[in-house]
Amino acid sequence: MSDPRPVQIDLLPDLDGDVCEELALLAQRCISGYSDDRPVSASLVRSRLTNALTGVPPVLAVARNGQGLAGWCAVRRPEPGEARARLWGPVVEPSARRAHLGRRLLQTVVDAVQWPLVTTDVPVDRDGAGMFFTRSGWEVLHTITVLHGAPSADGPGAVTAVGLTGLEAYVAAAGRRFAGLEASFAEATLPRWRDDARFSAETLLLDPPTGSLLLALVQRNTTGSELLVAEVWAADTEVRRRLIAQAHALAAERQVATVRAVTRQDPADFTASGMRVTGRCHTYTLPGER
């Protein structure tokens, strides 16, 4: 029997541990079985929604009914040097859908911010998700390929960032050279990465002769584990593929269940390492905010 009480939407001023746990549990239920399915934890939610450089909490709307958390939507404020704020959600409990709750949550946070927005990755295979944004007036900004692979104990050994003197300068130089980051934003890259709950110097792979790197992030929770290939900044195809192979060996060493990668570029370097395309996602932005 459905709860007769109306759903209440509130903007929360900060993130505490209990709220992060609620957000993580609902997010995990909602992505299960889709191409973006991955381990979600309270610590991951906190680190991805809170600003890394300033510690400022997100703009967070939560919806509650008599049965608990019915949905949430958040905007991580832009870091210094970022052009857009990042929209997370809306995430709606399956039993509470088809009552316009997602639209209400989205409108609540959009009305509360003044920055241009870009969504997180929205899987093409998630029923109605892309249509939700297009019907709300949003436009596709980027298409992202999602790939999965298996850990491989036969991969080559790697140089990691552990103990490296001048690591911030190394990462900043790679960001400027290979990712085209503006100087001050490139210099803040490593502090941003370190704020991610999944970050470890042991999973930041380097190729010192070329100044290249691969950022791998390991995440575990009660439902699974993965190594995410988050960034590959490399001098050429040979270096990129070597770093990707090293990431698969690292996954075997860390005893995670799967390797996942997301890329806006041609996925050929990943498929050459035995990974398979498992889905595609879009990011969306509002008209005039490109």
Side-chain angles (χ1 to χ4, degrees):
M1 181 177 179
S2 62
D3 195 294
R5 284 171 286 188
V7 176
Q8 175 73 34
I9 296 179
D10 296 300
L11 287 168
L12 300 188
D14 53 35
L15 277 174
D16 63 33
D18 290 341
V19 169
C20 288
E21 187 67 36
E22 284 187 295
L23 302 186
L25 288 172
L26 180 53
Q28 188 75 76
R29 287 201 298 275
C30 290
I31 65 175
S32 178
Y34 292 102
S35 58
D36 63 338
D37 193 351
R38 59 199 185 276
V40 180
S41 66
S43 60
L44 177 61
V45 167
R46 177 182 292 280
S47 68
R48 301 314 295 143
L49 296 186
T50 303
N51 282 65
L53 302 180
T54 64
V56 178
V59 176
L60 172 62
V62 298
R64 297 187 184 279
N65 56 23
Q67 299 171 334
L69 184 68
W72 63 272
C73 190
V75 172
R76 187 186 69 201
R77 303 166 194 265
E79 301 281 7
E82 279 189 311
R84 296 182 176 92
R86 179 72 69 167
L87 176 77
W88 299 77
V91 180
V92 178
E93 172 68 44
S95 63
R97 292 174 186 168
R98 305 192 185 283
H100 308 294
L101 180 56
R103 193 176 302 276
R104 290 173 58 199
L105 284 163
L106 178 63
Q107 196 61 51
T108 297
V109 296
V110 169
D111 289 345
V113 304
Q114 69 271 27
W115 315 287
L117 296 172
V118 60
T119 68
T120 51
D121 302 348
V122 178
V124 173
D125 64 345
R126 183 179 294 160
D127 296 340
M131 188 178 297
F132 168 83
F133 280 103
T134 56
R135 285 181 173 176
S136 298
W138 295 59
E139 299 175 344
V140 174
L141 180 63
H142 296 300
T143 299
I144 297 98
T145 303
V146 183
L147 303 102
H148 282 79
S152 173
D154 297 328
V159 175
T160 73
V162 175
L164 179 68
T165 301
L167 181 59
E168 288 197 19
Y170 185 107
V171 172
R176 291 192 300 270
R177 179 181 175 189
F178 302 122
L181 302 183
E182 181 269 330
S184 62
F185 195 62
E187 290 168 4
T189 297
L190 187 59
R192 295 197 314 273
W193 287 356
R194 281 175 169 155
D195 192 66
D196 191 312
R198 301 165 293 181
F199 178 83
S200 169
E202 297 176 349
T203 60
L204 177 54
L205 308 183
L206 310 178
D207 187 66
T210 64
S212 304
L213 63 79
L214 181 150
L215 174 64
L217 303 170
V218 173
Q219 172 69 6
R220 291 181 170 88
N221 68 3
T222 57
T223 68
S225 62
E226 70 164 21
L227 182 142
L228 170 66
V229 178
E231 300 285 358
V232 187
W233 296 346
D236 55 37
T237 296
E238 180 183 353
V239 175
R240 284 177 60 86
R241 294 185 179 184
R242 182 168 67 248
L243 286 168
I244 293 168
Q246 290 170 353
H248 283 72
L250 181 64
E253 178 186 314
R254 291 303 179 98
Q255 297 182 321
V256 298
T258 189
V259 180
R260 182 169 64 96
V262 291
T263 182
R264 284 164 44 189
Q265 310 303 321
D266 185 337
D269 291 332
F270 295 96
T271 56
S273 298
M275 301 190 76
R276 68 190 189 284
V277 174
T278 56
R280 286 187 169 81
C281 300
H282 294 316
T283 60
Y284 293 84
T285 190
L286 287 166
E289 294 186 353
R290 288 180 174 269

